[in-house]
Amino acid sequence: MDMEKASLRQEIRRRKQAYTPGQLQLLSKPIIERLLAHPAVKKANGICLYHSLPDEVFTHEAIEQLRTAGKQVYLPKVTGDGEMTFLPYEGGLEKGAFGIMEGTGGNASDTAWQQADIVVVPGIAFDAQGHRLGRGRGYYDRLLAATHPLPYLIGLCFPFQLVEHVPTDLHDIAMNEVIS
């Protein structure tokens, strides 16, 4: 299973390398438009999103657009060894674990994010059943496994990250929907 996951991560990494960061940003525009136009997103009061890395669907402008639209946006923050939470985004960012930009609002024990209607989740690969292959550290799976009830989960990826089958373990949490 782990070899199968490692092989798939390597394949998607190879596919990403065919694009420049600028091309990935352009490819992101219609994906973000679909996300922002989604009925559940339009209706949501709170949305957990992520501040994208250069090889992910570009979310920086969407974060601001959602905030301007009056939504409470939460961004992930790594809080300890293998642990993550979401903090309210209030306009400030700081570099966190793995060089990922994190929000500076609230504090790590804040659970307000659990009131969010939607969690938008990045991934290396997704399949039609909503199965997700992450970067392999398990942050999202551990956090979501401890969250009850689960909000609506939307995976966000480029079309070339959609695959026929994502290998899964029992602890892997499937998305309700994938937007690519």
Side-chain angles (χ1 to χ4, degrees), residues 113 138-148 150 153 170-173:
W113 75 269
Y139 286 96
Y140 278 91
D141 287 318
R142 275 191 297 282
L143 181 66
L144 294 173
T147 305
H148 303 286
L150 268 177
L153 304 177
L170 284 176
H171 65 269
D172 292 332
I173 295 177

Side-chain angles (χ1 to χ4, degrees), residues 49-56 59-60 63 75-78 84-86 92-104 122 132 135 137 139-140:
L49 198 52
Y50 60 94
H51 195 271
S52 56
L53 293 169
D55 69 340
E56 294 174 328
T59 60
H60 305 188
I63 291 167
L75 295 177
K77 177 168 185 64
V78 173
M84 178 181 97
T85 190
F86 285 96
L93 292 169
E94 65 186 13
K95 191 172 283 199
F98 314 108
I100 298 170
M101 297 304 285
E102 301 176 335
T104 57
R132 168 185 169 269
R135 293 186 183 264
R137 292 192 171 96
Y139 286 96
Y140 278 91

